[in-house]
Amino acid sequence: MRTTEPRRPTAPASSDGDVLLDVRDLAVRIGPAEIVNGVSFSVPRGGTLGIVGESGSGKSMTVLAATGLIDSPPARVSGQSLLDGQDIVTMDPRQLRGVHGRRVGFIFQDPSTSLNPVLTVEQQLTEAPRFHLGLTRRDARRRALELLEAVGIPDPPSRLSSYPHQLSGGMKQRVMIAVALACDPELLVADEPTTALDVTTQAQILERVKELQESRGMSVIWISHDLGVVSGIADRVAVLYGGQIVESAPLEELFTDPRHPYTRGLMAARPQTAHGKGELAVIPGSPPDPKHLPQGCLFWDRCPVRGDPRCETERPPETPVGPEHVVRTFNGGDADGTDRRGGTR
Amino acid sequence: MSSPLLRFLVKRLLHTVVVLFGVLVVVFALLQLVPGDPVRVALGTRFTQESYDALREASGLDRPLLVQFFAYIGNALTGNLGVSFRSGEPVTLILLDRLPATVSLGLAGITIALLIAFPLGTWAALRRGSAADGGIRAVSQFGVSVPDFWLGLLLIIVFSTMLGLLPPSGYVPFTEDPWGWLQRVILPGLAVGVVSGSIMTRYVRSAVLDVVGSHYVRTARSKGLPRRTVIGRHVMRNALVPILTVAGVQAATMLGGLIVIEVVFAWPGLGRLVFDAVAARDYPVVQGTVLLIALIFLLINLLVDILYAVVDPRIRVS
């Protein structure tokens, strides 16, 4: 059994101290599976962190563990996740209830299964404000109307008595956003909220969240497998692979100067890049099995530029390559010499 | 809001009428196929050719089948189910006399079953994998395997013969003596209730487990609601839909089980009635009882469907 990696100075972002969520060395184990392996990041107040990775990279688990929404047991969480200095990882259920819905709001991937099918929109939208803020039925109702208006649902009064099955996917996700924002949270966690939606609706939802974030000064963690989506909203992006952050940088820097071969692979695998060639680039292979993680670099078996002798035996540490740019590889740290287009055929 | 519900109810009611007609056909046909001549049996030692012909003519058994069938349906719809070959009493009156006993036993049985299944099933699901969960599953497995009449006999031996706490058999109408009724209904109610309760415990457990793992329960938890709100409001209401299905099937199955239990406990209900009537080839009574039991069965199903629609708004539309 491997122990968590020693703490390292990472993610130099927002060293100005105005950090809302500060995650340090977070690790999640479920039985023999090492799902999250020493992840550190921080979310500045009012800022947006994009977390990108393919399915099974541990991105949802990382964020659910950091926000205390993971079931433990069976999951074992270690490390710290400081919300305004208070560690969420060590909170008891009562303290967590004061965080969930109140200070941190959540939107999930599939809006059609995330809303309760037997309760009306009003019932689902008013329960958190009534519980957390002690609003009366009437006040909660008024607030619900404002929220539906704010997320762009036409004719809010008639939608209040609707059941989820009477709404389209995009409308359901808007309702979910309204639910998440119902108590004016400081942090919004969006776990692939546009994946199940069509492209047009996806763009509308993204735009809407951006507006709401700006008007409310809220912080956002946006999880996605799609770099394109994240580029539309994030200030800063962390790329997750095998439950580790392999690269983390401000949005533009990540796009103009990706250092990790996996990040480059993701860039090349975007449909836009392949335009004109008629064939999508892929990263061959699949993510490591969290029950049998390799001893060396987690990306080794899929890496197109592996060459360093340490690759197979040692996990690369997080290495700063710019003031706010860290990367976890032995082969991308040098700006010269390596193949920038790497990772694809 | 209520208009789709109303439309659903009307549709469902029409459906019930169609099924009821089918039941009438089957009940009528079944008895035509049973060997033995009911008129001879009815006459017994008083048999003469003249009285035989007279009774056949009086009961209409000499007429063509189709005529008999439509006469039967016409009569059934007006509440006339013929007269008993044995006692000469109208079948409808006999049935109405026996119905309350069976209904009260059935209600006691299903109540006991629900009182067992809901708390135990929910508890086991919420503490999945714990010792309590294992214990509940083992006990319910045992309960499922026990025949209800055997359990009935065991209950009589323990609570009446050995402990002398409860009367071993008999029936008092609830309206006459509620306490006496309760004392007498407990043992037969337990005999049928424990078995269906055990079966339902397993269904409640898996229904609750299903819902607890669902995305909308995660959403409810992400709102920071108290645990009892998450369980009571979000979990139980959704788990109720599959549980209702099983409860309906169990209530209906229980009707069959009541025949044996009523015999064991000398409970003067429909089960004993049909048991005796079959033995005596009392056709009109058998027909009438089967018809009534089928009707109860249909009503239970109708009730379950109505409850569905009340619990789950999606069912009202489809």
Side-chain angles (χ1 to χ4, degrees), chain B residues 45-63:
Chain B
T45 52
R46 291 173 290 131
F47 175 82
T48 62
Q49 193 57 46
E50 292 77 47
S51 60
Y52 178 79
D53 293 339
L55 185 55
R56 260 179 77 84
E57 203 186 324
S59 49
L61 289 173
D62 58 338
R63 286 182 288 169

Side-chain angles (χ1 to χ4, degrees), chain B residues 18-312:
Chain B
V18 174
V19 176
L20 190 61
F21 180 80
V23 169
L24 283 168
V25 174
V26 171
V27 167
F28 181 80
L30 256 176
L31 283 171
Q32 299 303 323
L33 299 172
V34 176
D37 184 340
V39 179
R40 285 198 85 117
V41 175
L43 288 172
T45 52
R46 291 173 290 131
F47 175 82
T48 62
Q49 193 57 46
E50 292 77 47
S51 60
Y52 178 79
D53 293 339
L55 185 55
R56 260 179 77 84
E57 203 186 324
S59 49
L61 289 173
D62 58 338
R63 286 182 288 169
L65 265 187
L66 211 60
V67 177
Q68 284 188 45
F69 176 64
F70 281 108
Y72 171 68
I73 290 194
N75 286 333
L77 289 181
T78 53
N80 177 4
L81 296 170
V83 293
S84 161
F85 285 161
R86 277 197 308 168
S87 65
E89 276 179 90
V91 172
T92 312
L93 288 186
I94 300 178
L95 291 178
L96 287 179
D97 185 46
R98 299 294 192 103
L99 184 61
T102 292
V103 168
S104 67
L105 179 53
L107 285 178
I110 200 77
T111 306
I112 290 173
L114 291 173
L115 285 178
I116 293 172
F118 256 97
L120 290 189
T122 310
W123 202 43
L126 295 180
R127 284 166 186 69
R128 182 187 195 175
S130 69
D133 180 23
I136 288 169
R137 287 168 70 189
V139 170
S140 72
Q141 180 62 55
F142 179 73
V144 170
S145 329
V146 170
D148 47 8
F149 68 89
W150 181 83
L151 184 63
L153 293 172
L154 194 73
L155 287 170
I156 294 178
I157 293 171
V158 173
F159 287 97
S160 302
T161 316
M162 286 167 61
L163 300 175
L165 288 175
L166 294 164
S169 64
Y171 167 73
V172 186
F174 179 80
T175 44
E176 279 172 27
D177 176 7
W179 177 238
W181 172 82
L182 188 66
Q183 282 184 312
R184 286 169 178 79
V185 85
I186 287 179
L187 294 186
L190 274 176
V192 287
V194 164
V195 178
S196 355
S198 301
I199 296 171
M200 282 170 57
T201 300
R202 305 166 79 80
Y203 281 96
V204 171
R205 178 180 179 273
S206 73
V208 171
L209 265 184
D210 251 20
V211 176
V212 162
S214 72
H215 287 163
Y216 53 83
V217 168
R218 181 181 61 183
T219 305
R221 290 200 297 127
S222 81
K223 294 177 186 176
L225 300 172
R227 188 176 157 84
R228 62 166 192 287
T229 310
V230 175
I231 303 288
R233 195 175 172 157
H234 292 270
V235 175
M236 287 323 282
R237 186 128 178 232
N238 280 284
L240 218 50
V241 176
I243 294 172
L244 272 174
T245 316
V246 185
V249 173
Q250 281 304 310
T253 314
M254 203 180 270
L255 279 175
L258 286 184
I259 295 180
V260 182
I261 290 300
E262 286 183 1
V263 173
V264 170
F265 284 90
W267 193 265
L270 294 172
R272 269 240 345 247
L273 180 69
V274 77
F275 183 82
D276 294 342
V278 167
R281 287 198 205 298
D282 195 343
Y283 270 26
V285 173
V286 175
Q287 256 180 337
T289 318
V290 172
L291 192 60
L292 182 59
I293 289 181
L295 189 65
I296 298 174
F297 196 98
L298 286 178
L299 287 178
I300 291 173
N301 275 306
L302 184 65
L303 181 73
V304 166
D305 280 1
I306 292 173
L307 287 177
Y308 268 165
V310 170
V311 171
D312 190 341

Side-chain angles (χ1 to χ4, degrees), chain A residues 64 69-71 97 100-102 104 106 108-110 113-119 123-125 127-128 131-132 161 163 165 176 179 191, chain B residues 1 4 212 214-229 233-235 237-238 241 310-317:
Chain A
L64 291 182
L69 202 61
I70 202 169
D71 280 321
R97 280 199 288 277
H100 295 152
R102 176 72 191 84
V104 182
F106 295 85
F108 299 105
Q109 179 167 350
D110 190 351
T113 56
S114 294
L115 289 168
N116 191 325
V118 305
L119 299 178
Q123 286 171 312
Q124 305 193 49
L125 200 43
E127 58 182 352
F131 174 69
H132 289 298
S161 55
Y163 289 95
H165 71 269
M176 263 309 287
V179 166
D191 187 356
Chain B
M1 274 271 286
V212 162
S214 72
H215 287 163
Y216 53 83
V217 168
R218 181 181 61 183
T219 305
R221 290 200 297 127
S222 81
K223 294 177 186 176
L225 300 172
R227 188 176 157 84
R228 62 166 192 287
T229 310
R233 195 175 172 157
H234 292 270
V235 175
R237 186 128 178 232
N238 280 284
V241 176
V310 170
V311 171
D312 190 341
R314 286 168 298 182
I315 289 167
R316 289 172 217 162
V317 231

